[in-house]
């Protein structure tokens, strides 16, 4: 398969999936073939890792911001424009910057 960046659009949600998850219940299948302008375009992105997506979900999107996640492990990660030191894991974030991360079990 082609390798894409996390922000790349790799497709769109099909009418069948929209029906399956309850977005549309009374839509004719012909609508997917251009029969209706009422069907929204819902893009699908390539995605990212769990910590990278959780950073987006809590709004940790600017350099200097950080997230502390406590669960199976204790993880702290933040957003940086510069590569991290060798003291932390050098992950990339979901937007093309760096996501320095440290974790304990």
């Amino acid at each position: 398969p082609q390798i894409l960046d996390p922000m790349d659009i790799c497709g769109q949600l099909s009418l069948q999936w929209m029906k399956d998850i309850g977005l549309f219940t009374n839509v004719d299948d012909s609508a997917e073939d251009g029969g209706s302008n009422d069907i929204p375009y819902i893009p699908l992105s390539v995605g990212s890792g769990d910590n990278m997506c959780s950073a987006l979900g809590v709004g940790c999107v600017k350099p200097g911001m950080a997230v502390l996640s406590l669960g199976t492990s204790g993880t702290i990660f933040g957003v940086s424009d510069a590569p991290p030191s060798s003291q932390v894991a050098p992950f990339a974030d979901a937007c093309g910057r760096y996501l320095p991360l440290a974790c304990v079990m």
Side-chain angles (χ1 to χ4, degrees):
Q2 181 182 2
I3 296 174
L4 301 170
D5 288 329
M7 299 292 282
D8 288 348
I9 302 300
C10 61
Q12 70 181 53
L13 194 63
S14 71
L15 178 60
Q16 184 60 53
W17 273 102
M18 290 182 204
K19 287 180 180 180
D20 289 349
I21 63 175
L23 290 177
F24 292 99
T25 54
N26 299 322
V27 177
D28 185 311
D29 286 334
S30 66
E32 192 166 28
D33 298 324
S36 172
N37 290 333
D38 295 334
I39 306 301
Y41 170 73
I42 300 176
L44 300 176
S45 67
V46 175
S48 191
D50 55 353
N51 290 318
M52 295 74 177
C53 287
S54 65
L56 291 177
V58 299
C60 181
V61 295
K62 295 179 183 173
M65 298 177 89
V67 174
L68 175 62
S69 173
L70 300 173
T72 304
S73 65
T75 306
I76 186 165
F77 47 91
V79 179
S80 175
D81 285 330
S85 73
S86 62
Q87 303 299 313
V88 295
F91 288 106
D93 79 350
C95 298
R97 291 178 302 257
Y98 296 94
L99 191 80
L101 181 146
C103 178
V104 295
M105 296 301 275

